[in-house]
PDB file of all heavy atoms in Angstrom:
ATOM      1  N   GLY A 416       7.118  17.108  34.385  1.00  0.00           N
ATOM      2  CA  GLY A 416       8.190  17.810  35.085  1.00  0.00           C
ATOM      3  C   GLY A 416       8.907  18.812  34.212  1.00  0.00           C
ATOM      4  O   GLY A 416       9.940  19.381  34.617  1.00  0.00           O
ATOM      5  N   LEU A 417       8.339  19.167  33.044  1.00  0.00           N
ATOM      6  CA  LEU A 417       9.069  20.125  32.191  1.00  0.00           C
ATOM      7  C   LEU A 417       8.414  21.500  32.309  1.00  0.00           C
ATOM      8  O   LEU A 417       7.240  21.643  32.563  1.00  0.00           O
ATOM      9  CB  LEU A 417       8.966  19.683  30.727  1.00  0.00           C
ATOM     10  CG  LEU A 417       9.679  18.386  30.394  1.00  0.00           C
ATOM     11  CD1 LEU A 417       9.679  18.198  28.893  1.00  0.00           C
ATOM     12  CD2 LEU A 417      11.099  18.318  30.944  1.00  0.00           C
ATOM     13  N   ALA A 418       9.236  22.489  32.012  1.00  0.00           N
ATOM     14  CA  ALA A 418       8.740  23.885  31.941  1.00  0.00           C
ATOM     15  C   ALA A 418       7.748  23.970  30.787  1.00  0.00           C
ATOM     16  O   ALA A 418       7.992  23.325  29.778  1.00  0.00           O
ATOM     17  CB  ALA A 418       9.854  24.867  31.758  1.00  0.00           C
ATOM     18  N   PRO A 419       6.695  24.827  30.953  1.00  0.00           N
ATOM     19  CA  PRO A 419       5.725  24.967  29.895  1.00  0.00           C
ATOM     20  C   PRO A 419       6.355  25.329  28.547  1.00  0.00           C
ATOM     21  O   PRO A 419       5.856  24.829  27.452  1.00  0.00           O
ATOM     22  CB  PRO A 419       4.802  26.093  30.345  1.00  0.00           C
ATOM     23  CG  PRO A 419       4.945  26.087  31.827  1.00  0.00           C
ATOM     24  CD  PRO A 419       6.339  25.633  32.120  1.00  0.00           C
ATOM     25  N   ARG A 420       7.381  26.068  28.541  1.00  0.00           N
ATOM     26  CA  ARG A 420       8.077  26.503  27.265  1.00  0.00           C
ATOM     27  C   ARG A 420       8.657  25.225  26.573  1.00  0.00           C
ATOM     28  O   ARG A 420       8.535  25.080  25.367  1.00  0.00           O
ATOM     29  CB  ARG A 420       9.172  27.444  27.622  1.00  0.00           C
ATOM     30  CG  ARG A 420       9.880  28.062  26.393  1.00  0.00           C
ATOM     31  CD  ARG A 420      10.986  28.991  26.932  1.00  0.00           C
ATOM     32  NE  ARG A 420      11.888  28.420  27.900  1.00  0.00           N
ATOM     33  CZ  ARG A 420      12.853  27.595  27.614  1.00  0.00           C
ATOM     34  NH1 ARG A 420      13.108  27.307  26.333  1.00  0.00           N
ATOM     35  NH2 ARG A 420      13.619  27.007  28.553  1.00  0.00           N
ATOM     36  N   VAL A 421       9.265  24.324  27.319  1.00  0.00           N
ATOM     37  CA  VAL A 421       9.839  23.117  26.777  1.00  0.00           C
ATOM     38  C   VAL A 421       8.755  22.200  26.316  1.00  0.00           C
ATOM     39  O   VAL A 421       8.863  21.555  25.211  1.00  0.00           O
ATOM     40  CB  VAL A 421      10.752  22.449  27.758  1.00  0.00           C
ATOM     41  CG1 VAL A 421      11.404  21.217  27.195  1.00  0.00           C
ATOM     42  CG2 VAL A 421      11.809  23.411  28.407  1.00  0.00           C
ATOM     43  N   THR A 422       7.687  22.101  27.121  1.00  0.00           N
ATOM     44  CA  THR A 422       6.552  21.261  26.690  1.00  0.00           C
ATOM     45  C   THR A 422       5.980  21.728  25.333  1.00  0.00           C
ATOM     46  O   THR A 422       5.780  20.946  24.408  1.00  0.00           O
ATOM     47  CB  THR A 422       5.378  21.356  27.761  1.00  0.00           C
ATOM     48  OG1 THR A 422       5.976  20.921  28.950  1.00  0.00           O
ATOM     49  CG2 THR A 422       4.242  20.490  27.366  1.00  0.00           C
ATOM     50  N   ALA A 423       5.801  23.071  25.177  1.00  0.00           N
ATOM     51  CA  ALA A 423       5.284  23.600  23.949  1.00  0.00           C
ATOM     52  C   ALA A 423       6.200  23.235  22.790  1.00  0.00           C
ATOM     53  O   ALA A 423       5.743  22.941  21.681  1.00  0.00           O
ATOM     54  CB  ALA A 423       5.094  25.121  24.087  1.00  0.00           C
ATOM     55  N   GLN A 424       7.501  23.322  23.036  1.00  0.00           N
ATOM     56  CA  GLN A 424       8.538  23.034  22.046  1.00  0.00           C
ATOM     57  C   GLN A 424       8.331  21.525  21.536  1.00  0.00           C
ATOM     58  O   GLN A 424       8.418  21.274  20.349  1.00  0.00           O
ATOM     59  CB  GLN A 424       9.884  23.163  22.686  1.00  0.00           C
ATOM     60  CG  GLN A 424      10.927  23.793  21.872  1.00  0.00           C
ATOM     61  CD  GLN A 424      12.218  23.930  22.724  1.00  0.00           C
ATOM     62  OE1 GLN A 424      12.126  23.982  23.980  1.00  0.00           O
ATOM     63  NE2 GLN A 424      13.351  23.952  22.055  1.00  0.00           N
ATOM     64  N   ILE A 425       8.144  20.707  22.516  1.00  0.00           N
ATOM     65  CA  ILE A 425       8.016  19.257  22.174  1.00  0.00           C
ATOM     66  C   ILE A 425       6.764  18.978  21.400  1.00  0.00           C
ATOM     67  O   ILE A 425       6.714  18.254  20.419  1.00  0.00           O
ATOM     68  CB  ILE A 425       8.101  18.364  23.441  1.00  0.00           C
ATOM     69  CG1 ILE A 425       9.541  18.346  23.948  1.00  0.00           C
ATOM     70  CG2 ILE A 425       7.624  16.951  23.168  1.00  0.00           C
ATOM     71  CD1 ILE A 425       9.844  17.616  25.246  1.00  0.00           C
ATOM     72  N   MET A 426       5.704  19.660  21.743  1.00  0.00           N
ATOM     73  CA  MET A 426       4.419  19.510  21.013  1.00  0.00           C
ATOM     74  C   MET A 426       4.568  20.012  19.627  1.00  0.00           C
ATOM     75  O   MET A 426       4.055  19.397  18.627  1.00  0.00           O
ATOM     76  CB  MET A 426       3.285  20.286  21.773  1.00  0.00           C
ATOM     77  CG  MET A 426       2.976  19.796  23.167  1.00  0.00           C
ATOM     78  SD  MET A 426       2.307  18.049  23.117  1.00  0.00           S
ATOM     79  CE  MET A 426       2.643  17.551  24.766  1.00  0.00           C
ATOM     80  N   ARG A 427       5.242  21.193  19.476  1.00  0.00           N
ATOM     81  CA  ARG A 427       5.469  21.719  18.132  1.00  0.00           C
ATOM     82  C   ARG A 427       6.270  20.734  17.293  1.00  0.00           C
ATOM     83  O   ARG A 427       6.014  20.488  16.073  1.00  0.00           O
ATOM     84  CB  ARG A 427       6.153  23.025  18.212  1.00  0.00           C
ATOM     85  CG  ARG A 427       5.257  24.221  18.302  1.00  0.00           C
ATOM     86  CD  ARG A 427       5.939  25.500  17.903  1.00  0.00           C
ATOM     87  NE  ARG A 427       7.128  25.764  18.671  1.00  0.00           N
ATOM     88  CZ  ARG A 427       7.185  26.325  19.855  1.00  0.00           C
ATOM     89  NH1 ARG A 427       6.048  26.709  20.449  1.00  0.00           N
ATOM     90  NH2 ARG A 427       8.290  26.542  20.489  1.00  0.00           N
ATOM     91  N   LEU A 428       7.298  20.148  17.942  1.00  0.00           N
ATOM     92  CA  LEU A 428       8.141  19.173  17.221  1.00  0.00           C
ATOM     93  C   LEU A 428       7.330  18.038  16.692  1.00  0.00           C
ATOM     94  O   LEU A 428       7.497  17.532  15.592  1.00  0.00           O
ATOM     95  CB  LEU A 428       9.269  18.738  18.142  1.00  0.00           C
ATOM     96  CG  LEU A 428      10.136  17.604  17.564  1.00  0.00           C
ATOM     97  CD1 LEU A 428      11.024  18.164  16.415  1.00  0.00           C
ATOM     98  CD2 LEU A 428      11.045  16.965  18.609  1.00  0.00           C
TER      99      LEU A 428
END
Side-chain angles (χ1 to χ4, degrees):
L417 298 189
R420 187 181 50 80
V421 183
T422 301
Q424 223 177 333
I425 288 178
M426 296 295 157
R427 271 200 302 277
L428 173 70

